[in-house]
Amino acid sequence: MNVTFYWYPKCGTCRNAKKWLETHDVALEAVHIVDNPPSRTELEELYKKSGLELKKFFNTSGMKYRELGLKDKIKTASEEELLDILATDGMLIKRPITTDGNKVTVGFNESLFEETWK
């Protein structure tokens, strides 16, 4: 199985997820989410395949999220507006995002990784 792994190398959660994938022999292409963030089209595709609410794609603990006051905006913005906002800055996107083109996980949860990527 070959997966694309959007991550931020300084993020401890990302490093743990990457280590888990490597330990379980999951072939991955690591993509720096800030230097090469997914495009708006890619984000929309990831969102739709994930089955998650779009707000789960936001890095709500990030400084950029707070600076832009997105907590309130998320509640009223349309799906189109939210995707546009996410596409502006890789630091706004929750990480890591792991996908094989069909399945998508956001963040790192060991039991979810076990279920999805093993």
Side-chain angles (χ1 to χ4, degrees):
M1 177 183 349
N2 225 352
V3 301
T4 301
F5 181 72
Y6 291 98
W7 75 314
Y8 184 61
K10 292 180 182 175
C11 165
T13 302
C14 294
R15 289 193 307 268
N16 290 338
K18 186 172 187 280
K19 183 178 180 181
W20 188 96
L21 291 166
E22 290 169 347
T23 300
H24 290 85
D25 297 321
V26 177
L28 61 93
E29 177 192 350
V31 179
H32 193 298
I33 201 162
V34 177
D35 294 346
N36 297 297
S39 68
R40 191 204 176 286
T41 305
E42 289 169 319
L43 282 166
E44 184 170 9
E45 194 175 301
L46 291 166
Y47 154 61
K48 290 190 171 159
K49 288 181 178 176
S50 74
L52 298 168
E53 295 176 77
L54 188 52
K55 67 182 180 183
K56 297 284 187 195
F57 277 78
F58 279 88
N59 176 14
T60 57
S61 59
M63 285 190 308
K64 192 82 170 182
Y65 180 86
R66 290 192 298 272
E67 282 172 17
L68 296 174
L70 294 177
K71 183 180 178 188
D72 296 321
K73 191 177 271 189
I74 276 185
K75 296 173 187 168
T76 58
S78 71
E79 194 173 281
E80 297 300 312
E81 290 171 309
L82 292 176
L83 285 164
D84 289 342
I85 292 167
L86 274 174
T88 64
D89 191 327
M91 290 303 278
L92 289 174
I93 304 168
K94 184 170 177 76
R95 53 194 183 260
I97 295 178
T98 311
T99 183
D100 64 0
N102 295 311
K103 299 175 289 202
V104 177
T105 57
V106 178
F108 175 59
N109 173 304
E110 195 166 339
S111 59
L112 181 60
F113 264 47
E114 190 80 30
E115 186 180 302
T116 309
W117 305 118
K118 193 155 184 189

